Amino acid sequence: MKQIRTWLLGLALAALLVPSAAFAADIKIGFLVKQPEEPWFQVEWKFADKAGEELGFDVIKIGVPDGEKTLNAIDNLAAAGAQGFVICTPDVRLGPGIMAKARANGLKVITVDDRFVAADGSYMEEVPYIGMSAEKIGRQMGEALFTEMKNRGWNMDDVSVMMTTFEELDTTRERTDGAIAQLTEMGFPADRIYKAPIQQRMEIPTALDAANTLLTRHPNVKYWLVGGPNDNSVLGAVRALEGWGIAVDSAIAVGINGTDCIGELEKANPTSFYGSILGLAGVEGYESSKIMYYWIKDGKEPPLDTRTVGRLITRENFRQVLQEEGMD
Ligand code: FCA
C-alpha cells in the first residue's frame, strides 16, 4: 500500500512538472551554416538535433552561403520565435553586421568553426566561440604526412609538399601554418613546401584548380605529400594528381575534418588519400546548442573560447574511431 502511495505521489509530482517541460519545448535555437552540403556541417546539425531531443528544444537549421541569406535568416529566426542562434558564417568579416542584426532582434549568438573578426581584423573575442585547436590539428596533419613518408622509405630528396591553402580564413590559415611548421621541425626542407592557394570557397573543384596550377609549375616531382585546410581541399588535390597520371603510391594525402572523406576511405581500391585528422563536429554541434539552450533558459553565460581536438583516421581504423567517437 505504502508503495502504491509513493507511486501515486510520484505521478502527481510528474504532473506538476509538465508545465515546465512544455515551457522548455518553447525554446527554439537557430543553427546557421555556410556550406550545408559539406558533411562536416551535416554532422553538426545532426548532433544539435540530438541535444534538442534530449533537452527539449527545437533546432531551426538554415544554410547561409552568403551575407544576404545570413541577414535574412536572422530575421526569419526572430519571426519564428527563436531566442538565439549558433552560426558558422560564410564570411568572418560579417561578424559586426551579424551581431547588430542579432541585437536588433534580441537574439543571442554563439559562433562555431569560423570566428568573427572586427573591422580592424582582430577576433571578436566577446562573442562565444567553439572551434578546432587549429594549429595543433594542422601539426597532427604535418606529422602524419612525415611519418607515413618515413614508413614508405622514400628518399626525402625526391619528395615535395603540396599544401592547398585558404589563408583568408584564420582557422584554416592556422591549420596549414601548423602543418608546415611541423614538417619543417621534423626536418622537411622548407624550400620544397609549395602552397596552392584556393580561390573563394574550399570545395573539391576550386582545390583541384589550385593544385593543377601548382602541378604545372612542378611537373617533375617524384613523390608528393599533400595537405590542406580541410578534406575537400585535399580531395581536390588528389583528383588533380590523378588527372596528371601520378600513381596512387607516389603521393600521400592527409586531410582535416574526417567527415568529408568517408566515401574516399571506403573505396574498394585505395587512392593516394591516406587519411584525415578527424575533428569533433558532433561535439561542436551538440555542445554549442546545449550551451545556447542553458544561456536562454537559465541565463547561464557561455564560455568565450572552447577548442576541440583531432585524431588521425586512415582506411585501417576509421570505422573503429568513428564508432568510438559516436559518429558512425
Ligand atoms: C571551417 C571549414 C570546415 C571545417 C570547419 C571546422 O569552417 O570550412 O570545413 O573544417 O572549419
Side-chain angles (χ1 to χ4, degrees):
M1 187 62 188
K2 187 162 172 261
Q3 245 175 6
I4 294 179
R5 237 180 310 161
T6 319
W7 183 71
L8 283 175
L9 187 67
L11 265 189
L13 276 176
L16 277 178
L17 287 175
V18 167
S20 79
F23 171 72
D26 288 344
I27 292 183
K28 294 194 181 94
I29 295 172
F31 205 119
L32 315 186
V33 302
K34 63 177 181 180
Q35 284 174 284
E37 73 289 351
E38 195 173 272
W40 174 269
F41 297 107
Q42 292 163 12
V43 174
E44 285 187 341
W45 272 353
K46 183 172 154 205
F47 279 78
D49 273 338
K50 187 164 182 269
E53 277 154 29
E54 286 174 12
L55 298 168
F57 59 86
D58 286 341
V59 182
I60 304 173
K61 301 179 283 294
I62 309 176
V64 289
D66 60 42
E68 197 189 327
K69 292 208 170 67
T70 306
L71 297 179
N72 285 339
I74 299 172
D75 283 335
N76 292 340
L77 284 176
Q83 297 94 339
F85 60 90
V86 176
I87 181 166
C88 179
T89 173
D91 180 349
V92 288
R93 287 162 304 184
L94 290 170
I98 292 172
M99 290 312 289
K101 189 75 156 169
R103 259 193 303 275
N105 281 297
L107 297 173
K108 296 180 166 30
V109 182
I110 293 178
T111 51
V112 280
D113 302 321
D114 299 358
R115 198 172 201 184
F116 290 165
V117 297
D120 67 0
S122 64
Y123 286 128
M124 293 176 72
E125 289 176 355
E126 68 281 13
V127 185
Y129 170 73
I130 301 184
M132 283 186 177
S133 303
E135 193 206 327
K136 193 158 171 253
I137 285 180
R139 281 182 174 273
Q140 284 175 274
M141 176 173 66
E143 185 177 357
L145 288 168
F146 193 91
T147 306
E148 186 57 17
M149 172 189 75
K150 287 277 166 200
N151 288 343
R152 296 197 191 178
W154 291 352
N155 178 352
M156 204 154 64
D157 294 342
D158 297 333
V159 188
S160 291
V161 170
M162 161 155 45
M163 190 65 68
T164 60
T165 59
F166 191 69
E167 300 195 330
E168 296 85 325
L169 183 59
D170 293 297
T171 179
T172 46
R173 180 182 41 75
E174 287 170 19
R175 295 173 205 174
T176 46
D177 282 356
I180 291 170
Q182 184 69 30
L183 282 161
T184 47
E185 282 167 28
M186 290 180 94
F188 200 91
D191 62 355
R192 270 188 283 115
I193 300 179
Y194 310 125
K195 289 183 183 176
I198 298 172
Q199 304 303 315
Q200 287 177 355
R201 272 158 75 91
M202 286 170 290
E203 289 167 342
I204 292 176
T206 49
L208 191 147
D209 286 346
N212 270 335
T213 306
L214 186 78
L215 288 167
T216 312
R217 288 208 305 272
H218 301 281
N220 298 320
V221 172
K222 187 166 176 198
Y223 296 119
W224 282 104
L225 300 181
V226 183
N230 66 7
D231 286 340
N232 284 342
S233 311
V234 173
L235 285 169
V238 167
R239 299 289 90 88
L241 290 170
E242 287 165 356
W244 281 69
I246 290 165
V248 163
D249 55 6
S250 297
I252 301 164
V254 176
I256 288 177
N257 279 4
T259 43
D260 320 334
C261 60
I262 300 304
E264 186 79 5
L265 294 175
E266 277 172 337
K267 284 183 176 169
N269 296 320
T271 68
S272 58
F273 192 92
Y274 169 69
S276 179
I277 309 301
L278 175 74
L280 299 182
V283 171
E284 289 189 15
Y286 190 97
E287 287 300 317
S288 57
S289 41
K290 178 177 133 192
I291 290 168
M292 174 60 82
Y293 169 72
Y294 284 115
W295 193 10
I296 295 167
K297 182 169 155 290
D298 303 330
K300 190 169 184 290
E301 292 283 333
L304 288 180
D305 190 353
T306 307
R307 299 300 172 128
T308 55
V309 295
R311 197 170 160 189
L312 177 66
I313 56 171
T314 61
R315 280 172 71 90
E316 274 63 53
N317 74 354
F318 78 99
R319 280 266 157 253
Q320 195 195 329
V321 175
L322 289 178
Q323 209 171 18
E324 282 167 18
E325 300 292 347
M327 289 172 73
D328 58 337

